[in-house]
Amino acid sequence: QVSATVGNGTPLVTSISRTIAPTEDYLWAYVASLLHFDGANNSTTFTDQKGKTWSRSGAPIISTTQSRFGGASGYFTGAQYITTPNHADFNFGAGDFVIEWSTYYTTAPAGSASPQAIIRKFTTASQQCWDVWMYYTGSGNTEFRFNISTTGADTVTALSSSTSTDSWAIPANTWTKWAIFRYGNTLYFTVDGVVKKSVAFTSTIFAGTSQVEFGNGDGSSGAVFYAEELRITKSGRYSG
């Protein structure tokens, strides 16, 4: 049972099941991207329900080996990720937003010197916006980190959560739902709908021109995983 609640009356459990149809999503106009990762086995096409174009770096594929919904998922290993060009939809400024996705790790990120940049808009010098990292820091501890830039060139850790202090884990060989979202002046990090960390947040995120990347953006973490239901919403969807 989930513990996070939702703004405007929509249960959070909706986002943990298959992402609801556009006609049923009252925030569809504010959805920046929605990828189900559906398709034929070994397909190299990553379809965005909002019409944005995603390209491959390395050799990520659509795989039918694992699936949470729809019979397929995205498969990422090594230095593999997908990218979409800069768009104003991904610049959150001082407003609410939600970044959410599901993963099935067969190999979790390993090594504090080799974090997994799972999703980010942070790759162009002086045009950095935000990024999400997962990495193993040693002694059985893994850290989730959400970084932002306020100038395009600085890096500010807005939220950091560790498995040893906040009671969560990256389970192997099972599906897990992740989300980072802003509601008002608070950032929330949730695992399977349960809030694991919340922090005060009043910053304005820089509106840079970096592309968006999803997958193994850093390439050195050793992570191997399947992914489903990546959704980015430029609006408040959950209220913590």
Side-chain angles (χ1 to χ4, degrees):
Q1 185 68 38
V2 300
S3 66
T5 57
V6 180
N8 300 322
T10 300
L12 179 55
V13 70
T14 301
S15 72
I16 296 175
S17 62
R18 179 76 187 229
T19 304
I20 58 180
T23 54
E24 300 172 356
D25 186 353
Y26 70 103
L27 290 174
W28 182 244
Y30 301 97
V31 173
S33 275
L34 171 60
L35 285 82
H36 296 309
F37 296 99
D38 288 342
N41 196 42
N42 294 318
S43 171
T44 59
T45 300
F46 293 81
T47 301
D48 190 328
Q49 301 302 309
K50 294 296 288 191
K52 293 183 174 65
T53 299
W54 292 77
S55 303
R56 300 193 306 157
S57 180
I61 58 170
I62 299 298
S63 171
T64 57
T65 301
Q66 297 294 338
S67 172
R68 193 169 197 178
F69 311 105
S73 60
Y75 180 64
F76 301 84
T77 183
Q80 298 179 355
Y81 55 92
I82 57 175
T83 70
T84 191
N86 170 59
H87 194 286
D89 287 352
F90 301 116
N91 288 328
F92 306 136
D96 294 346
F97 65 87
V98 184
I99 305 170
E100 53 193 327
W101 67 100
S102 292
T103 56
Y104 183 108
Y105 281 95
T106 57
T107 304
S112 59
S114 305
Q116 179 193 14
I118 190 164
I119 183 166
R120 60 182 175 178
K121 192 177 190 293
F122 215 81
T123 56
T124 303
S126 299
Q127 294 296 319
Q128 300 169 160
C129 303
W130 49 265
D131 69 353
V132 175
W133 294 79
M134 292 268 206
Y135 60 94
Y136 181 73
T137 59
S139 302
N141 184 66
T142 300
E143 183 177 352
F144 174 96
R145 182 174 292 182
F146 180 67
N147 296 323
I148 67 160
S149 179
T150 60
T151 67
D154 64 335
T155 301
V156 178
T157 298
L159 182 147
S160 177
S161 176
S162 65
T163 56
S164 60
T165 60
D166 298 325
S167 301
W168 59 275
I170 301 180
N173 303 313
T174 189
W175 284 100
T176 305
K177 168 78 178 192
W178 311 91
I180 177 78
F181 62 91
R182 179 179 188 167
Y183 185 77
N185 290 329
T186 306
L187 276 176
Y188 297 90
F189 164 56
T190 68
V191 181
D192 284 334
V194 178
V195 175
K196 295 300 182 179
K197 187 70 172 283
S198 63
V199 296
F201 183 69
T202 59
S203 298
T204 298
I205 302 174
F206 183 75
T209 59
S210 291
Q211 66 184 9
V212 176
E213 300 177 355
F214 177 82
N216 282 324
D218 184 72
S220 59
S221 72
V224 180
F225 71 102
Y226 299 87
E228 284 218 43
E229 303 306 308
L230 170 63
R231 181 171 63 181
I232 302 173
T233 308
K234 192 176 180 180
S235 175
R237 187 179 285 277
Y238 314 129
S239 59

